[in-house]
Amino acid sequence: MIRMLIPLAVFLALVGLLIAGLQTAENRKLVQSPLIGKPLPGFSLPGLHDPDTMTGRDDLIGEPFILNVWGSWCWACRAEHPFIERLGREAPIELIGFNWKDERSDALRWLEQFGDAWDRHLVDYEGKVAIDLGVYGAPETFLVDHEGVIRHKHIGPVDANVFQDLMRRAMALNSEAGS
Amino acid sequence: MIGIQGSGFGFRSRLRAILALLGVVWLAAGALASAIEPYPFESEVQRKRFQALAEELRCTVCQNQSLADSDAPLASDLRDEVFRMLSDGRSDMEIRSFMVERYGNYVLYRPPVVGHTLLLWGGPLVLLLVGLVAAVFVIRKRRKAL
């Protein structure tokens, strides 16, 4: 009797593994960033509206902020744009755009067409700083605290649920900075 | 007699044609491979190291391709970065850890042996042992039955 149950047990174990694998399949596509809890890497990038002004890591430290990676070529950035606009209006901290591998004229036209909800934009035309940030696809949204430490990263477009989560985290970072 | 000679000639010329075709295919494949990586390597050794690194680093955007296979813009940026570091005289270890610091162990097609990858590395060995034990059991039983 027990002998006959062994193949059944093996079969059930395999089914269990399959179900577990299917349920985590979505999450496995997302690359967990090893940069969470680490300080923002150093950089010096021009602005989008003001290409002659360079902004470095040290210019941003002191206040927490949201860093949103986007490009005019990025289809999903269009999808998340309404929520990014809400973040720009409602979040208590600065919302900085990270314009990634984009042509300046395309980026400016995109903002004109869809609305510019960000407080300012940094431009990474070459994509070198993006590599230091572990960016692997747009859109990505980072939360950085007032000490310049990366505290959270969302990969993929922001939807209603992610928006709530980001708002909650932004408020927490804001009160942390104030205390 | 003539017929046999004729067919012999036909076989040879056909073989020659096939070899010529293979040659063309081989040349075309070579041209394709070099079209993807037009880097000015200093030496053959450096080119081989680059190739090996690009093949064992995963492209994070197109997840089932290596950096060597992928046409994605990010993969090309990362290849540039690998080439730049090779030219700077950095070691393979340094280049791999550069990628891991930014993208995690996920970028490695050969992940290190740590706690949660033990099953991955040890799994086949465990299965082999289970199989051996089962085989020994079955063989012993059959012997007894004889």
Side-chain angles (χ1 to χ4, degrees):
Chain A
M1 189 58 204
I2 290 171
R3 177 172 296 269
M4 283 164 74
L5 285 178
I6 292 174
L8 185 67
V10 170
F11 173 72
L12 287 179
L14 281 176
V15 169
L17 276 177
L18 178 69
I19 290 172
L22 285 175
Q23 276 175 347
T24 56
E26 259 325 290
N27 294 338
R28 253 183 297 128
K29 277 192 221 146
L30 305 179
V31 182
Q32 261 305 326
S33 177
L35 289 165
I36 290 165
K38 302 242 172 76
L40 199 69
F43 61 84
S44 178
L45 291 174
L48 179 62
H49 298 291
D50 42 350
D52 297 326
T53 317
M54 299 299 278
T55 303
R57 173 182 187 272
D58 295 339
D59 300 320
L60 297 180
I61 292 175
E63 296 289 332
F65 60 91
I66 304 169
L67 188 71
N68 174 241
V69 181
W70 70 281
S72 65
W73 46 267
C74 152
W75 183 86
C77 297
R78 221 176 278 190
E80 72 165 4
H81 192 258
F83 293 104
I84 297 298
E85 278 202 306
R86 281 189 66 190
L87 273 180
R89 276 199 310 268
E90 297 170 33
I93 62 179
E94 207 182 5
L95 174 65
I96 301 175
F98 186 93
N99 187 237
W100 184 37
K101 290 177 82 72
D102 207 353
E103 293 299 332
R104 181 161 186 266
S105 55
D106 293 344
L108 289 172
R109 193 155 6 121
W110 196 91
L111 291 177
E112 214 166 283
Q113 193 176 344
F114 296 103
D116 188 353
W118 295 263
D119 294 301
R120 58 170 137 170
H121 296 273
L122 305 176
V123 176
D124 186 14
Y125 183 73
E126 306 258 304
K128 289 227 163 147
V129 177
I131 291 177
D132 287 339
L133 275 168
V135 169
Y136 74 93
E140 287 185 10
T141 307
F142 293 83
L143 280 173
V144 181
D145 71 13
H146 63 286
E147 285 171 335
V149 174
I150 300 171
R151 296 287 290 271
H152 180 69
K153 177 185 179 182
H154 174 74
I155 298 159
V158 174
D159 59 15
N161 288 335
V162 177
F163 169 77
Q164 294 298 342
D165 180 54
L166 289 176
M167 278 298 286
R168 203 170 41 77
R169 288 171 189 274
M171 284 191 263
L173 285 188
N174 192 40
S175 53
E176 205 180 295
S179 63
Chain B
M1 198 53 179
I2 290 165
I4 292 164
Q5 243 178 3
S7 68
F9 184 73
F11 171 73
R12 269 202 190 167
S13 66
R14 224 177 292 161
L15 188 69
R16 220 174 273 165
I18 289 170
L19 282 178
L21 190 69
L22 279 177
V24 168
V25 169
W26 182 73
L27 279 178
L32 262 181
S34 57
I36 300 170
E37 309 299 355
Y39 290 107
F41 294 108
E42 284 162 20
S43 62
E44 184 61 18
V45 177
Q46 196 187 49
R47 195 188 67 78
K48 288 217 167 108
R49 280 178 63 203
F50 178 86
Q51 200 60 33
L53 280 165
E55 273 164 20
E56 70 173 88
L57 290 168
R58 190 201 295 259
C59 165
T60 43
V61 211
C62 28
Q63 302 195 343
N64 291 318
Q65 285 186 308
S66 71
L67 282 189
D69 300 329
S70 176
D71 286 334
L74 178 65
S76 124
D77 286 359
L78 291 175
R79 279 196 299 266
D80 288 350
E81 206 65 10
V82 170
F83 177 70
R84 193 186 54 74
M85 286 189 281
L86 275 177
S87 310
D88 284 356
R90 305 243 236 139
S91 72
D92 290 4
M93 262 310 270
E94 282 175 306
I95 294 171
R96 267 193 293 265
S97 57
F98 173 91
M99 293 294 168
V100 171
E101 275 164 26
R102 285 156 182 78
Y103 294 100
N105 281 333
Y106 188 84
V107 295
L108 301 175
Y109 266 124
R110 278 185 292 163
V113 187
V114 289
H116 66 280
T117 59
L118 273 183
L119 190 65
L120 179 70
W121 287 102
L125 198 68
V126 172
L127 284 179
L128 181 69
L129 285 176
V130 169
L132 280 177
V133 169
V136 166
F137 261 99
V138 170
I139 290 168
R140 277 201 183 160
K141 235 182 106 196
R142 293 215 174 154
R143 274 212 186 137
K144 262 187 209 163
L146 280 176

